[in-house]
Amino acid sequence: MSAMNIPARTRYRRRVGGFGNIDVKHDESVLDFSTAASCYNFDLTSGALRDGYGIAEHPMIKDGARRFWVFRGYCSKHKQIEDQYVYQNGNGLLKYYDLNSKTTHYISGMQYPPLDMLNYRLNSEDVLIMSCDGRKLYTWNGSIISEHKESPTVSSMALHYERLFVTSRDEPTKVFFSDNLDPTNWNMSSSEGGFIELLDERGDLNKVVSFGSYLYIFRDHGISRVTAFADQSEFAVVNLFTSAGRIFPSSIAKCGSVMMFLASDGLYVFDGYECSRVLHGLDGLILPDDNCASAYFNGKYFLSCRMSFGDGATVGCESGEYKANAMLVYDTATGEYSITRGLDINFMNACSLVDEDVLMACDGQKCGVIVKNGSRFDEPLAKHWQGPLTDLGSPDKTKTVREVYVGSTVDCVVSLSSGEKKKSAAVKRGNRRVRFNINAKRLALTVQTDAVGCNISPPTLIYTTT
């Protein structure tokens, strides 16, 4: 009797061509194998999984700081330009750190709401212009703080062609402007200060931004552009954009040659003339919410906001009370982006600290700097990449995944799931071959780790079909 000839099944190889970013808008069945159905706390720009952004302590940031700025002014005593680091603590008190004496001093004994600040040279003297919601303007010259009671109450401010323009929640249909060359003079006349009132369907005036040659007014549902050179008789207003969704003022940031902002219907890029939606694949992930913070740093737009991951996991700040739980980092030149989950950032400001450029941020009740370390103040953040539930190009065949090849600099967990069943394997660092033997018509690949120092290369699946 001759031996039976049992044909060997053909083995197929499928490599993740490079870990791709998220698309939560489209059905998983139409997504490419390399596209992520879910991803956070990994950086994917190289195609491998590396540490995403996090927040770390910095020696120049003092305990108790909640907001942080740099006051750059001329010191007559030392006859040179010097920096003083100004910060507001959790009680609303203002302090500054003197680099020469290495001492901390109070600016004022008053408690202020959260402040914003601008450097300005007023009457041949360097000052910080300070504003806070519902209060009048303040200036500080390095030693004395002054309140300017004749100013409007301020919700946002911008310097534009030597005038200060402000919006006010007390009069939300108006943008006020100071006298030319004097942001402390608010006398209303044809030769000093005044206001522009806008009454139309675009709604309240929430934020002013000086961008290029124009002043832009961001409103509830639109953007208006003001031509405002020295002579106020020549001021002119043009309405540029009407949004179906509400624009969130705290999300607005100047990003080089464009501005970016979040509205309730998505994320926008604005070039001064036209708006265009970006990152449509994140529709439904980013929640429309006022609890935003934003900044532009190192060629990237940083947006802290709320996101709905819908997986029941608890990451970082999500274990307690929080207002924001995620941060989007978007490269305005390349369109690449990453998502950090587990940070509750309520304020960001790009600063120079002793000739070091940093992005200062306040996470909950603690200040630090944004870095690419995959951690929240030395606590590693859980990192997750999950591919779509895919049929690997053969919808009618059952796939049996025999092995998965993984190369990683850290220990990680690799999983394959079909929706009804799931197999996971703890994978040690190095180049590994992992046996699975799971069969299904559709499978999803997941890679997870809590470690930092990640560099996980795209894995290869070995499978047969029946």
Side-chain angles (χ1 to χ4, degrees), residues 4-150:
M4 294 179 61
N5 292 321
I6 301 175
R9 290 178 181 170
T10 303
R11 290 200 167 201
Y12 298 92
R13 300 173 64 90
R14 185 64 177 265
R15 185 173 184 268
V16 177
F19 289 105
N21 234 315
I22 310 169
D23 187 337
V24 296
K25 181 179 181 180
H26 298 98
D27 189 270
E28 291 186 29
S29 63
V30 301
L31 298 182
D32 180 82
F33 186 55
S34 300
T35 301
S38 173
C39 178
Y40 49 82
N41 296 332
F42 279 125
D43 176 75
L44 310 174
T45 53
S46 67
L49 299 178
R50 296 184 177 179
D51 290 348
Y53 287 88
I55 189 168
E57 295 179 352
H58 192 283
M60 288 303 300
I61 297 178
K62 303 304 170 187
D63 290 341
R66 296 292 184 273
R67 293 186 166 216
F68 198 98
W69 305 267
V70 174
F71 172 48
R72 181 158 291 169
Y74 181 77
C75 176
S76 57
K77 179 180 179 181
H78 299 107
K79 301 188 184 309
Q80 63 181 12
I81 299 292
E82 293 182 349
D83 290 341
Q84 290 176 330
Y85 303 134
V86 177
Y87 65 96
Q88 186 175 21
N89 67 16
N91 295 322
L93 296 172
L94 271 177
K95 299 181 180 182
Y96 74 92
Y97 177 73
D98 190 313
L99 269 176
N100 292 308
S101 64
K102 302 292 190 290
T103 55
T104 300
H105 306 271
Y106 281 95
I107 292 175
S108 167
M110 280 186 61
Q111 294 177 316
Y112 300 91
L115 283 156
D116 288 315
M117 300 192 184
L118 294 169
N119 280 274
Y120 189 74
R121 190 159 181 83
L122 176 66
N123 300 325
S124 301
E125 183 180 51
D126 292 306
V127 298
L128 267 181
I129 301 175
M130 306 179 182
S131 71
C132 48
D133 198 7
R135 299 281 188 93
K136 305 290 185 176
L137 284 169
Y138 300 87
T139 55
W140 181 63
N141 64 2
S143 58
I144 298 172
I145 189 168
S146 304
E147 182 181 8
H148 301 278
K149 295 184 178 180
E150 68 281 5

Side-chain angles (χ1 to χ4, degrees), residues 249-395:
S250 297
S251 71
I252 301 164
K254 291 194 292 186
C255 303
S257 60
V258 298
M259 287 184 274
M260 293 196 66
F261 63 89
L262 176 67
S264 56
D265 59 342
L267 193 68
Y268 284 85
V269 173
F270 177 53
D271 64 3
Y273 298 92
E274 295 181 344
C275 284
S276 57
R277 283 278 315 277
V278 294
L279 300 185
H280 295 266
L282 300 185
D283 289 355
L285 179 65
I286 300 177
L287 298 177
D289 195 289
D290 270 318
N291 291 304
C292 299
S294 62
Y296 179 64
F297 180 72
N298 198 24
K300 297 175 178 62
Y301 170 66
F302 290 76
L303 173 68
S304 172
C305 58
R306 291 181 73 97
M307 294 190 188
S308 176
F309 294 92
D311 57 5
T314 300
V315 179
C317 69
E318 296 172 346
S319 61
E321 294 184 2
Y322 62 90
K323 292 185 176 180
N325 67 327
M327 182 175 68
L328 171 72
V329 183
Y330 178 80
D331 190 312
T332 57
T334 66
E336 295 175 332
Y337 68 95
S338 67
I339 289 174
T340 298
R341 179 181 181 182
L343 302 183
D344 181 16
I345 293 176
N346 52 65
F347 179 78
M348 288 186 276
N349 186 31
C351 298
S352 292
L353 301 178
V354 194
D355 299 322
E356 175 193 8
D357 294 331
V358 298
L359 180 57
M360 193 284 296
C362 185
D363 179 345
Q365 302 298 311
K366 188 174 181 180
C367 270
V369 293
I370 299 297
V371 290
K372 193 176 282 188
N373 69 350
S375 299
R376 184 190 190 210
F377 295 116
D378 296 327
E379 289 292 328
L381 292 166
K383 301 163 185 65
H384 172 92
W385 186 95
Q386 179 180 323
L389 198 61
T390 178
D391 57 24
L392 298 175
S394 304

